[in-house]
Amino acid sequence: MYEKEIAKLQEIIDESSDIVFFGGAGVSTESNIPDFRSADGLYRQQYRYSPEQIVSHTFFVRNTEEFYEFYKNKMMFLEAKPNAAHQKLAELERAGKLSAVITQNIDGLHQAAGSRTVYELHGSIHRNYCQECGAFYDASYVKEAAGIPKCSCGGVVKPDVVLYEEGLDATVIQDTVRAIGRADTLIIGGTSLVVYPAAGFIDYFRGRHLVVINKEAPAREVGAELTVAAPIGEVLGRIHVPGQGL
C-alpha cells in the first residue's frame, strides 16, 4: 500500500538538504501512547472533570492532587519505546538531511531514538522542578511519588509541560520559527493541526516541498505537495536514508 506516495516522498527526501519535521500525538500512538483526540483518545473518556480542565494551570494550582492522579496515569508512559517514525527521523538527522524535529509531544521519544535537535513546544515529562527552590527531578521520581510529588525542601514539584492557560517558551518559539523558515522541506506528521499557537508555526514555511503524513485529514488546508493518509511509522519506516543501511 501507498507505493506511489512513498516513492514520491523518497524522491522529495533525496533532493532535500534541510528537512524540518513538525509532529504531533500521532507520531507516538504507534508506541502505544494514546492520542488526545482520536476515537479512543483521552478526550473521549469520562472523568469527573474534562481533560482540558485537568491539564490547565488553574486546576493544577487548585486541585493539585487530582491533577497528578490524572497526569501520572494518563500522560506519563515511561515504558514506551521509540517507533519506526522516531527512528527514521533520527537517521535522517545523522545523515545530514534533517535539521530539526519540532514536536507537540511531551514523551521524549525523539531524543530516546537519537534525535539531537528537538524543539519541544509543549515541554517534557522528563523535566520537573520544585516551585520553591528550582531543584530538578526526573520523570521516575514524579511517577513513583505518592500523591503530590514534593521536593526535599517541601515545595511542590511541577512538570515542565505547558498546561492550558500557560504560554509557550519564547526561546523554543524563536528556534521553531527559524528552523521552519529556512527549511527547504517541511514534513508535517501525526497531527491534525488543531492546537494553537503550535499549528500556526507552519505558516512560516517558505521552502519547496510541503508533505503531510497523517491518518486523517488535517483541520486546515496547508497546500501540501504530497499527502499520505497513513500511520506515520508505517510510511517513514519504508524510507531509505543514504549511508544509514538498508
Side-chain angles (χ1 to χ4, degrees), residues 19 41 85 90 113 117 202-203 213 242:
I19 301 169
T117 303
I202 66 172
D203 294 332
I213 308 170

Side-chain angles (χ1 to χ4, degrees), residues 170-222:
T171 300
V172 174
I173 291 174
Q174 292 171 1
D175 290 340
T176 293
V177 170
R178 186 181 303 114
I180 291 175
R182 70 188 180 202
D184 57 19
T185 295
L186 177 63
I187 300 175
I188 300 170
T191 175
S192 54
L193 297 178
V194 168
V195 178
Y196 280 80
F201 293 136
I202 66 172
D203 294 332
Y204 290 94
F205 179 62
R206 296 293 182 269
R208 183 177 179 187
H209 302 293
L210 179 57
V211 176
V212 173
I213 308 170
N214 196 49
K215 289 193 291 185
E216 298 177 355
R220 52 173 293 201
E221 174 57 51
V222 296

Side-chain angles (χ1 to χ4, degrees), residues 21-23 26-30 83-85 89 187-190 213-215 230-238:
F21 178 80
F22 182 97
V27 179
S28 293
T29 54
E30 290 169 80
N83 60 52
L89 291 167
I187 300 175
I188 300 170
I213 308 170
N214 196 49
K215 289 193 291 185
I232 188 165
E234 184 177 327
V235 175
L236 289 185
R238 294 172 62 184

Side-chain angles (χ1 to χ4, degrees), residues 138-158:
D138 64 15
S140 295
Y141 179 86
V142 171
K143 182 81 169 178
E144 295 166 8
I148 301 171
K150 296 287 186 71
C151 175
S152 57
C153 79
V156 173
V157 175
K158 182 180 184 295

Side-chain angles (χ1 to χ4, degrees), residues 127-137 151-158 160:
R127 297 187 300 270
N128 305 273
Y129 300 96
C130 173
Q131 295 187 108
E132 298 297 326
C133 71
F136 170 85
Y137 290 90
C151 175
S152 57
C153 79
V156 173
V157 175
K158 182 180 184 295
D160 186 18

Side-chain angles (χ1 to χ4, degrees), residues 19-89:
I19 301 169
V20 167
F21 178 80
F22 182 97
V27 179
S28 293
T29 54
E30 290 169 80
S31 294
N32 297 316
I33 294 180
D35 134 12
F36 268 54
R37 294 176 176 80
S38 65
D40 58 349
L42 294 182
Y43 279 31
R44 303 294 181 92
Q45 299 177 27
Q46 298 298 314
Y47 297 96
R48 181 180 173 190
Y49 301 95
S50 72
E52 294 98 329
Q53 287 177 293
I54 297 173
V55 292
S56 69
H57 179 82
T58 297
F59 194 90
F60 174 81
V61 172
R62 295 178 179 174
N63 307 85
T64 310
E65 188 165 0
E66 285 184 87
F67 167 87
Y68 268 115
E69 181 180 354
F70 177 89
Y71 178 76
K72 287 188 239 183
N73 290 333
K74 300 298 183 182
M75 299 183 73
M76 299 187 78
F77 297 88
L78 304 189
E79 303 303 316
K81 303 296 182 185
N83 60 52
H86 300 105
Q87 293 162 354
K88 191 64 64 173
L89 291 167

